[in-house]
Amino acid sequence: MAVSQSQQGNWERRWHPLLSQWVIIAATTGNRPWNGAVVGAAESINKTPQHDPSCYLCPSNTRSNGTVNPDYLGPFAFDNDYASFSPEAPTFEDEDSSPLMRRDSNLGRCRVLCWTEDHSKTLASISQENMRAVAKLWQDEYNTLCKETDIKQVLIFENKGQEIGVSNPHPHGQIYATGFVGDTFSRLRQSQKDWVKEHDSSLLLDLIARPEYQDTLKIAENEHCIAIIPYFARFAYECWIIPKHAAQHIGQLSDAALNDLADLYQQMAKTYNVLFQRESPNISLLYNAPCDDHPENENWQFHIIMQPPLREPDKLKYLAGYESGSANIVNPVQPEIAAASLRKAFAAQEALA
Ligand SMILES: [Zn+2]
């Protein structure tokens, strides 16, 4: 049966061409979180002190292992004191074991990235200069870590908000630089390679060249980068920030492109606070090409995914039975409607700036 315009987004599944899986769109179009007002955005500013003597990330404070943080200003990075991956991880190369009992080393490095010395800030509220310095730190860290022989993948990310289990409110992110290429990265590499083979062009650059991404699925753009909601969004207000020109990783961005990336990222962080009328929790992921010597890394397009775990200001998105069991995510908001809400919120945060 043909589908009318009003039914679009209900009871349909959309193909995720990077993850090679279906996403279930179960839109409830009358249930929008946006109500047109920006009331509450100013009230959502974090009221914690600028320096907390008990915070192990604040400048000049002593961490639990006895290390004293420098009296830093702006971004500051150090090796995680509680790392899941380590350069000192034991190796198991000589083990003669069954494939049913296989194991390997957790070689790698975990880093902590403080965005700023100010305990009370977030990436939405630091200065533009500080945000650009954060992006420069992302680039420097990637460039340094990917040169280490044992490191095959560098995942820079931020978990923001108590809702997703962040124990320390100091504005910070992390890096897991691992000695193997993880499942999602392997899928992304395979999909992008297959696309190039068939179309002789970049999957993500072809995607943003489609008219939908200049229209219903676009949130905002500047000279070097664009922010969109993918047609196949897995999470209600998932946003992808993509450089408009080919770049396998953040290390390949020019200074001007890096500043544009930082600016658009910060505007999106502010946009989420306006959309949800509160300090929005968020998971941000920087998808750089793996840094092993795999020839297909050259087909990769760097991008950032911002993934707030909210479906409404006071409602978290849970991965419950069906999703946990199948890995096919149910998105309760039609991506075109989410993009329209984010465009309005984006304009509102620009007006507040
Ligand atoms: Zn702090």
Side-chain angles (χ1 to χ4, degrees), residues 52 55 57-58 119 168 170:
D52 179 350
C55 169
L57 299 178
C58 272
H119 185 88
N168 188 326
H170 194 105

Side-chain angles (χ1 to χ4, degrees), residues 109-298:
R109 192 181 290 278
C110 292
R111 303 273 288 162
V112 176
L113 313 177
C114 298
W115 305 138
T116 173
E117 76 283 357
D118 188 335
H119 185 88
S120 69
K121 299 283 192 187
T122 68
L123 288 184
S125 59
I126 59 175
S127 68
Q128 182 190 48
E129 182 190 17
N130 193 161
M131 181 66 225
R132 288 181 171 190
V134 167
K136 184 74 181 133
L137 178 71
W138 292 341
Q139 189 180 55
D140 291 344
E141 287 285 322
Y142 178 83
N143 284 339
T144 302
L145 288 165
C146 73
K147 289 192 185 81
E148 291 192 19
T149 34
D150 288 333
I151 288 176
K152 312 298 182 198
Q153 174 188 303
V154 178
L155 179 53
I156 304 171
F157 62 95
E158 180 185 22
N159 296 326
K160 177 189 166 196
Q162 291 179 338
E163 290 89 341
I164 49 174
V166 180
S167 53
N168 188 326
H170 194 105
H172 73 285
Q174 298 185 60
I175 299 177
Y176 275 26
T178 56
F180 73 107
V181 177
D183 293 352
T184 296
F185 279 71
S186 296
R187 277 180 176 241
L188 298 186
R189 182 162 64 191
Q190 183 69 37
S191 306
Q192 294 182 93
K193 174 203 135 183
D194 291 346
W195 187 270
V196 168
K197 207 171 161 188
E198 196 172 334
H199 303 272
D200 199 26
S201 53
S202 157
L203 194 165
L204 273 178
L205 295 181
D206 283 0
L207 181 134
I208 59 173
R210 287 195 58 90
E212 295 87 349
Y213 290 97
Q214 282 302 317
D215 185 23
T216 52
L217 292 167
K218 182 170 94 172
I219 303 164
E221 68 182 318
N222 53 29
E223 185 183 346
H224 294 95
C225 298
I226 185 167
I228 55 114
I229 287 194
Y231 178 70
F232 42 85
R234 297 159 76 229
F235 296 92
Y237 295 95
E238 173 179 341
C239 159
W240 293 26
I241 299 175
I242 306 170
K244 295 181 195 172
H245 299 99
Q248 294 160 34
H249 52 76
I250 194 167
Q252 291 180 341
L253 295 189
S254 67
D255 289 348
L258 190 66
N259 285 342
D260 272 3
L261 182 82
D263 292 352
L264 199 49
Y265 184 96
Q266 184 170 43
Q267 287 173 306
M268 284 309 306
K270 292 177 182 180
T271 295
Y272 285 125
N273 290 353
V274 170
L275 178 76
F276 294 118
Q277 301 175 40
R278 51 169 292 189
E279 191 65 57
S280 172
N282 187 42
I283 298 171
S284 293
L285 304 152
L286 275 68
Y287 281 106
N288 288 293
C291 46
D292 57 355
D293 54 7
H294 199 291
E296 307 302 347
N297 289 336
E298 67 180 23

Side-chain angles (χ1 to χ4, degrees), residues 1-73:
M1 189 199 298
V3 176
S4 74
Q5 191 68 25
S6 62
Q7 286 177 305
Q8 273 196 10
N10 274 322
W11 308 310
E12 69 180 56
R13 55 195 156 111
R14 296 186 177 183
W15 182 248
H16 195 309
L18 281 125
L19 292 175
S20 298
Q21 62 181 205
W22 289 107
V23 178
I24 315 303
I25 309 291
T28 48
T29 54
N31 198 14
R32 300 184 198 185
W34 174 258
N35 66 6
V38 294
V39 179
E43 294 163 9
S44 70
I45 292 168
N46 201 331
K47 291 189 173 64
T48 51
Q50 291 181 302
H51 185 278
D52 179 350
S54 68
C55 169
Y56 64 89
L57 299 178
C58 272
S60 307
N61 286 358
T62 304
R63 305 206 299 268
S64 59
N65 65 356
T67 307
V68 179
N69 292 332
D71 187 15
Y72 65 92
L73 284 175

Side-chain angles (χ1 to χ4, degrees), residues 327-338:
N328 298 102
I329 306 290
V330 179
N331 180 348
V333 181
Q334 186 183 337
E336 290 80 3
I337 289 175

